[in-house]
Amino acid sequence: MPKSSRFIQKDPDVVLIGAGIMSATLGMLLKELDPSLTIEVFERLDVLAAESSDAWNNAGTGHSAFCELNYTPEREDGSVDITKAVKIAESFEVSKEFWAYLVEQNISPSPQTFINEIPHMSFVWGEKNVDYLKKRHDALDDHHLFKGMLYSEDPAQLNEWIPLVMEGRDPSEKVAATRMEIGTDVNFGALTRALFDHLRKMDGVTIRLAHDVRDLEQEEDGTWKITVKNWSTRKKRELKTRFIFIGAGGGSLPLLEKAAIPEGKGFGGFPVSGQWLVCNNQEVVERHEAKVYGKASVGSPPMSVPHLDTRMIDGKKALLFGPYAGFSTKFLKNGSFMDLPLSIKANNLLPMMAAGIHNIPLTKYLIDQVRQSPEDRLAALRDYFPEAKMDEWDLETAGQRVQVIKKDPEEGGILEFGTEVVCAADGSIAALLGASPGASTSVSIMLDLLKRCFPNQINSEAWQNKLKKMIPSYGQSLATNAELAYQTRAWTSEVLGLKISEPVL
């Protein structure tokens, strides 16, 4: 029985819906900032972190924009825009600061249980793509967060870095790659469970698994009445709270619609499923040591950027390729096929129709992906591993993502491939929609949520001092302050047991 059982019958100050990395991060931040807060967590499944946060349901990449080419688009004039890459790299550094604090405070277990160093690489072929990668490298190398990124077109060098990728490749083919030694692999499922394991031991925290939030209604006094069903007893319960965070992955949109706040009107969701090929030959697994990302197919969603990926999952090294995109009307891996149809309301019908019309290439791409044969998937794998053998790879289902559709004054509705926090004007409820880079930037996302939903508290001297203790760079810019970035990266690398990059000032 958790220590907090005496709070069972009391209404909590905060309700967190969904037991994933976002709720775990917000819950941990709030309890560190104000230990007196009471928090109740509701998760519809009977286990923690079983959807998008689970290691097998996401890429596990510590998204720093070191290797993800979709974060550095090419402009019409041929130059490379690194704006998004810098923002993501900075956000991941902030996440590492918070994780390092948790490790130093013995809140989180050994860092190797959730974060390990794995080189991040981008690999392309063809003259046009090689030219793009060179321009990308030059643009990033000018920024201090990306100093140390290596670039090579030399087949001998590439064979040393990524032998599986180079063996059996046409020697006349023009290829290039970049490499960042300080890349990471993150088991967000393990991190999430560690945070919740600590939270459940704290006074005032109750975690309820197999509990489904069925309805949300705001009272006249601004509090929220929540109806929850216990799947074990089949009984319903009503409770009230002053603040709700909806961090339920694909399940966030239906709950946001139930809340019926003006700020949530017009949002829709487009579900995209995924699959991995997982190598079952450990000798092959041991010969690859990198996350190798390539260019996405035309019309494909960002989550479908192909990568040959070294992973550390529950202490064992694995090798994955994918993801292969697909389409399902489910909003969660363990969801219902009615999720998409039931999410269509009068206020989001037009944006969803407009987004569908404007994204016909995506629809065609997903149909083609669904129709793929094992031979088609093997052919895609051989672009990155020419000598791959079909019997050495197993097909596994990855997570389900719901991309955000929102109103747009010009287009009517647009499909966005990112994350978006929707907050009520009074700050009493917030919902996280969208996907990548999601988990990697969870700390920055939750800090932004605190500013919007707890404005008075976050500006207090007590919260400011605590935030700067937890996140030394808080209130400053790692993107513009090179010296600060090197200092914090050196500290987090030492605490988390990662490689320390040499500063180039």
Side-chain angles (χ1 to χ4, degrees):
M1 185 71 68
K3 288 172 61 179
S4 55
S5 60
R6 62 181 178 276
F7 291 95
I8 288 176
Q9 300 303 320
K10 293 185 178 181
D11 288 333
D13 298 317
V14 172
V15 164
L16 307 177
I17 304 174
I21 185 62
M22 294 296 176
S23 290
T25 300
L26 180 59
M28 200 68 249
L29 283 168
L30 285 171
K31 285 299 284 186
E32 287 293 295
L33 290 166
D34 185 352
S36 70
L37 284 174
T38 56
I39 299 176
E40 201 155 351
V41 183
F42 295 107
E43 166 57 51
R44 63 190 292 272
L45 301 179
D46 59 1
V47 291
L48 299 166
E51 284 281 351
S52 297
S53 297
D54 183 74
W56 292 104
N57 290 340
N58 60 64
T61 301
H63 285 296
S64 306
F66 293 157
C67 56
E68 306 94 320
L69 302 181
N70 54 303
Y71 296 149
T72 49
E74 192 169 8
R75 299 186 181 98
E76 289 186 6
D77 63 2
S79 63
V80 175
D81 184 357
I82 67 169
T83 306
K84 188 173 184 179
V86 171
K87 182 178 179 181
I88 290 172
E90 179 181 33
S91 293
F92 188 62
E93 294 298 327
V94 170
S95 290
K96 288 194 295 181
E97 288 183 61
F98 185 56
W99 300 341
Y101 165 81
L102 297 177
V103 170
E104 284 194 332
Q105 299 298 311
N106 294 317
I107 293 172
S108 177
S110 167
Q112 279 64 51
T113 61
F114 67 88
I115 187 167
N116 290 274
E117 56 190 35
I118 297 290
H120 283 196
M121 296 186 62
S122 301
F123 176 79
V124 299
W125 57 89
E127 190 168 341
K128 183 178 179 180
N129 290 335
V130 169
D131 178 61
Y132 159 76
L133 191 64
K134 181 66 169 65
K135 288 187 294 185
R136 177 184 187 270
H137 169 265
D138 292 346
L140 290 175
D141 192 53
D142 283 338
H143 197 281
H144 58 270
L145 287 175
F146 300 90
K147 288 295 183 184
M149 179 180 284
L150 304 175
Y151 174 88
S152 181
E153 299 176 21
D154 179 11
Q157 177 66 80
L158 299 184
N159 188 65
E160 183 179 325
W161 285 345
I162 39 176
L164 296 188
V165 176
M166 294 302 294
E167 289 174 8
R169 191 169 295 278
D170 183 349
S172 66
E173 185 177 46
K174 190 169 185 178
V175 295
T178 57
R179 181 180 177 95
M180 279 291 278
E181 294 288 347
I182 61 170
T184 56
D185 176 75
V186 184
N187 185 330
F188 289 106
L191 176 59
T192 301
R193 287 185 283 273
L195 294 181
F196 276 125
D197 284 346
H198 183 80
L199 279 167
R200 73 187 344 146
K201 298 172 186 175
M202 303 178 77
D203 287 336
V205 179
T206 304
I207 299 173
R208 301 191 184 280
L209 303 180
H211 278 66
D212 190 17
V213 174
R214 308 305 295 269
D215 199 16
L216 306 168
E217 183 180 354
Q218 191 168 27
E219 306 280 82
E220 290 186 4
D221 64 358
T223 61
W224 286 87
K225 184 175 72 174
I226 307 172
T227 304
V228 184
K229 182 174 182 177
N230 183 330
W231 286 116
S232 300
T233 64
R234 299 289 171 174
K235 293 182 179 179
K236 289 186 178 180
R237 169 194 168 201
E238 287 188 353
L239 66 151
K240 291 186 178 182
T241 186
R242 290 185 285 124
F243 175 74
I244 299 173
F245 170 64
I246 306 173
S252 291
L253 178 61
L255 289 171
L256 179 62
E257 291 178 334
K258 288 179 184 295
I261 59 174
E263 295 79 7
K265 295 188 182 301
F267 281 94
F270 185 82
V272 178
S273 61
Q275 294 176 309
W276 299 108
L277 282 178
V278 182
C279 186
N280 58 41
N281 184 337
Q282 202 60 30
E283 291 183 5
V284 174
V285 174
E286 295 298 332
R287 294 191 61 219
H288 187 75
E289 189 75 20
K291 289 180 175 292
V292 180
Y293 276 61
K295 292 201 76 172
S297 303
V298 176
S300 66
M303 68 167 285
S304 300
V305 173
H307 41 102
L308 187 63
D309 213 5
T310 295
R311 300 288 302 277
M312 289 299 297
I313 301 178
D314 300 329
K316 184 178 179 181
K317 187 177 178 180
L319 181 60
L320 280 64
F321 178 78
Y324 298 92
F327 177 75
S328 166
T329 55
K330 291 182 179 183
F331 278 2
L332 292 163
K333 191 174 181 179
N334 295 285
S336 164
F337 287 109
M338 291 302 294
D339 287 342
L340 178 59
L342 291 176
S343 76
I344 300 174
K345 310 293 182 183
N347 66 71
N348 67 11
L349 177 60
L350 291 179
M352 291 186 71
M353 290 178 62
I357 293 171
H358 293 308
N359 287 276
I360 291 175
L362 171 61
T363 304
K364 180 180 182 300
Y365 169 81
L366 293 175
I367 292 172
D368 290 342
Q369 288 278 295
V370 171
R371 296 170 57 190
Q372 277 191 327
S373 66
E375 290 75 20
D376 291 330
R377 287 190 285 268
L378 180 65
L381 169 60
R382 283 180 172 168
D383 283 338
Y384 292 84
F385 180 10
E387 297 188 345
K389 300 175 182 177
M390 186 178 294
D391 61 356
E392 294 181 342
W393 296 81
D394 301 317
L395 187 65
E396 301 287 348
T397 302
Q400 190 81 358
R401 300 288 185 272
V402 177
Q403 310 298 341
V404 178
I405 293 175
K406 58 189 293 187
K407 287 181 180 178
D408 182 80
E410 295 182 3
E411 303 291 341
I414 55 173
L415 183 64
E416 292 199 342
F417 297 105
T419 51
E420 178 144 358
V421 177
V422 181
C423 295
D426 63 3
S428 65
I429 188 170
L432 182 79
L433 305 178
S436 181
S440 294
T441 60
S442 56
V443 178
S444 292
I445 292 172
M446 291 302 102
L447 288 174
D448 180 64
L449 183 148
L450 291 177
K451 290 177 184 176
R452 297 167 66 181
C453 297
F454 297 82
N456 295 330
Q457 295 94 322
I458 203 168
N459 288 319
S460 69
E461 184 178 356
W463 277 38
Q464 285 289 310
N465 290 339
K466 185 64 176 183
L467 284 166
K468 290 171 183 175
K469 181 179 179 182
M470 293 190 291
I471 303 162
S473 71
Y474 182 76
Q476 303 176 75
S477 172
L478 295 173
T480 59
N481 189 331
E483 185 174 0
L484 177 65
Y486 290 132
Q487 288 175 352
T488 57
R489 184 179 275 176
W491 167 63
T492 60
S493 297
E494 182 178 1
V495 175
L496 298 174
L498 305 172
K499 286 181 180 175
I500 300 177
S501 61
E502 294 297 324
V504 182
L505 297 175

